């Protein structure tokens, strides 16, 4: 896919909005995220959808899709123009070192703004996402945050009682640092 067809920052935000819509409990909230996602890709003449059976964001050039939302194979000129991005697992197009560098900068921002206890929680979350999913913090959806809070953190984060009591606030600060919304995970 040519870089000019769909900029990386648009693709990342489209992924984020799709994850938020996927994880939303309220139908109105889901529709809000989907509408924002569609408005984001429309100027680039793309259509987005979530293929639920394998949890993949699919983006097609608009000219491939008919009015009912069905892809017309006769309209496909170059299959490489289509984009598929896994929304869970390790499907991101990032190397571990790039993810770690990004997430470490987020941890540092939390430390600067909120102190060492919140930074320790942020570091634990960054380690979890980087080592288990090779994912940047802002791409985490409710399933990943829930897994971190319920499974990883109690067994793998050797933090003080004070740090543990601050976890929910720390997660808010982490997502604030990347200008993203903390998914509803409880």
């Amino acid at each position: 896919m040519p870089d000019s067809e769909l900029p990386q920052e648009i693709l990342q935000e489209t992924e984020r909005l799709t994850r938020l819509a996927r994880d939303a409990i309220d139908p109105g909230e889901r529709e809000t995220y989907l509408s924002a996602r569609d408005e984001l890709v429309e100027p680039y003449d793309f259509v987005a959808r979530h293929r639920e059976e394998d949890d993949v964001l699919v983006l097609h050039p608009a000219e491939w899709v008919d009015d009912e939302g069905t892809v017309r194979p006769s309209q496909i000129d170059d299959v490489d123009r289509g984009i598929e991005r896994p929304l869970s697992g390790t499907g991101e197009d990032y190397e571990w070192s790039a993810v770690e560098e990004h997430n470490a900068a987020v941890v540092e921002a939390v430390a600067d703004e909120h102190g060492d206890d919140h930074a320790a929680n942020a570091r634990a979350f960054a380690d979890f996402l980087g080592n288990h999913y090779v994912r940047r913090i802002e791409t985490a959806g409710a399933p990943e945050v829930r897994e971190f809070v319920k499974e990883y953190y109690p067994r793998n984060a050797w933090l003080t009682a004070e740090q543990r009591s601050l976890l929910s606030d720390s997660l808010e600060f982490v997502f604030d640092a990347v200008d993203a919304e903390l998914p509803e995970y409880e």
Side-chain angles (χ1 to χ4, degrees):
M1 178 191 76
D3 288 344
S4 61
E5 196 160 359
L6 198 59
Q8 188 64 27
E9 62 273 5
I10 298 297
L11 184 54
Q12 288 175 346
E13 181 64 5
T14 301
E15 288 180 59
R16 187 182 78 79
L17 290 168
T18 303
R19 279 190 190 90
L20 290 170
R22 173 196 67 189
D23 298 339
I25 296 168
D26 179 80
E29 180 184 9
R30 181 177 297 114
E31 285 306 313
T32 299
Y33 290 132
L34 293 175
S35 178
R37 178 193 71 188
D38 293 345
E39 289 175 14
L40 190 63
V41 298
E42 183 184 20
Y44 298 92
D45 294 322
F46 270 80
V47 175
R49 72 178 177 89
H50 176 216
R51 192 170 61 215
E52 293 179 19
E53 60 269 16
D54 57 356
D55 200 24
V56 171
L57 168 64
V58 179
L59 295 145
H60 292 123
E63 70 260 18
W64 293 5
V65 183
D66 66 19
D67 292 338
E68 288 81 40
T70 304
V71 173
R72 297 172 300 186
S74 63
Q75 297 299 314
I76 299 174
D77 54 346
D78 178 5
V79 293
D80 290 336
R81 291 181 63 213
I83 302 165
E84 292 190 0
R85 298 293 292 255
L87 297 173
S88 57
T90 58
E92 289 195 24
D93 289 336
Y94 302 114
E95 295 287 329
W96 180 87
S97 59
V99 169
E100 172 54 27
E101 184 178 329
H102 172 79
N103 290 349
V106 174
V107 171
E108 188 175 317
V110 170
D112 291 346
E113 186 76 21
H114 303 287
D116 291 339
D117 286 338
H118 289 293
N121 285 331
R123 180 72 259 169
F125 187 55
D127 288 344
F128 167 73
L129 283 175
N131 294 332
H132 291 269
Y133 290 100
V134 191
R135 291 185 51 183
R136 292 175 182 231
I137 286 169
E138 61 271 24
T139 68
E144 293 82 20
V145 177
R146 191 176 305 111
E147 180 183 355
F148 170 74
V149 170
K150 304 272 188 221
E151 297 175 29
Y152 179 90
Y153 191 80
R155 289 191 301 241
N156 300 296
W158 299 96
L159 302 173
T160 67
E162 174 68 17
Q163 290 164 333
R164 288 179 184 275
S165 73
L166 299 171
L167 180 59
S168 60
D169 289 337
S170 298
L171 289 172
E172 286 283 351
F173 297 149
V174 165
F175 278 84
D176 286 348
V178 292
D179 292 323
E181 185 175 327
L182 173 64
E184 190 172 314
Y185 61 92
E186 298 204 57

